[in-house]
Amino acid sequence: MILQTPQPIRLENNLNDVSELCTITNLQSVNSDLITMFLGEKLGQGSYRSVYEFNLNPEKYVVKIEPLSTDSNANEFLTWENACGFINDLAWVKEWFAPVLWMSPNAKVLIMERTFRDHKKDKPRPDKVPNFLSDVKYENFGWIGDKFVCHDYGFLWGFLEYSKKKKKATW
């Protein structure tokens, strides 16, 4: 299986230098091949980003493309990286987020674990969600296995406070 262990990939670990990147990106046919190799079916589009299947593992990951500089991808990446470090009383926070696998250096491309909306029809959605999840609507959540998680957390208003206080969710 491709990409089993979510670990951030760094640009400087994969290319010899910036000139190599420039050489590759100046080849239009290579750009098209790379895009079609990685991006599958378009799954959705929001105000700032489009979401596609990740062609190398479409059942496991999605690719979020952010053409504008809204920092949604960067916010999700940083939120996930921070949550991964939470332990003890804050370990539960990570369970509410879809894992991020990778973000491009300019934050225009993000690879996230894929969620499914009606994957668990027999399991009800939670009545309440943590206060730090600000844009609580069904479209922003999905199932990864038995976990109901948020897959669109680019804008969190209660970002700095991870209290166990919850609010009513209206699905």
Side-chain angles (χ1 to χ4, degrees):
M1 180 180 276
I2 298 172
L3 299 174
Q4 288 188 13
T5 306
Q7 295 177 342
I9 302 167
R10 306 287 182 226
L11 176 66
E12 60 270 16
N13 294 340
N14 297 311
L15 298 175
N16 295 330
D17 58 39
V18 174
S19 65
E20 186 176 350
L21 177 64
C22 293
T23 300
I24 292 169
T25 57
N26 285 332
L27 301 170
Q28 185 58 42
S29 60
V30 172
N31 287 337
S32 298
D33 286 347
L34 288 170
I35 289 168
T36 56
M37 178 175 82
F38 290 112
L39 299 184
E41 179 184 340
K42 187 174 185 177
L43 300 173
Q45 181 172 339
S47 300
Y48 305 114
R49 300 182 286 181
S50 296
V51 180
Y52 300 86
E53 286 182 337
F54 181 54
N55 260 347
L56 299 181
N57 199 338
E59 289 298 313
K60 181 81 171 160
Y61 299 104
V62 296
V63 179
K64 295 183 176 189
I65 305 292
E66 180 184 346
L68 303 175
S69 295
T70 63
D71 295 328
S72 297
N73 281 348
N75 288 339
E76 282 182 351
F77 178 81
L78 292 171
T79 299
W80 177 251
E81 289 289 299
N82 285 328
C84 284
F86 292 159
I87 59 172
N88 300 328
D89 288 346
L90 288 177
W92 64 273
V93 170
K94 181 170 68 170
E95 301 301 315
W96 282 96
F97 298 118
V100 172
L101 176 67
W102 181 81
M103 183 182 71
S104 64
N106 66 8
K108 299 293 184 189
V109 180
L110 180 119
I111 299 176
M112 177 181 274
E113 197 163 329
R114 185 172 183 175
T115 65
F116 294 90
R117 293 260 172 79
D118 293 321
H119 188 66
K120 294 285 176 188
K121 291 180 181 180
D122 57 328
K123 189 170 182 176
R125 295 184 294 260
D127 290 333
K128 294 184 177 186
V129 298
N131 271 346
F132 58 79
L133 295 173
S134 56
D135 193 10
V136 179
K137 57 186 175 187
Y138 185 52
E139 294 81 24
N140 292 344
F141 290 79
W143 295 95
I144 297 177
D146 287 335
K147 292 190 323 184
F148 190 68
V149 298
C150 182
H151 59 236
D152 187 356
Y153 50 94
F155 293 102
L156 293 179
W157 303 116
F159 181 81
L160 297 176
E161 181 188 353
Y162 291 114
S163 72
K164 290 190 178 186
K165 185 176 178 185
K166 293 189 177 181
K167 61 184 170 187
K168 178 85 172 133
T170 51
W171 307 111

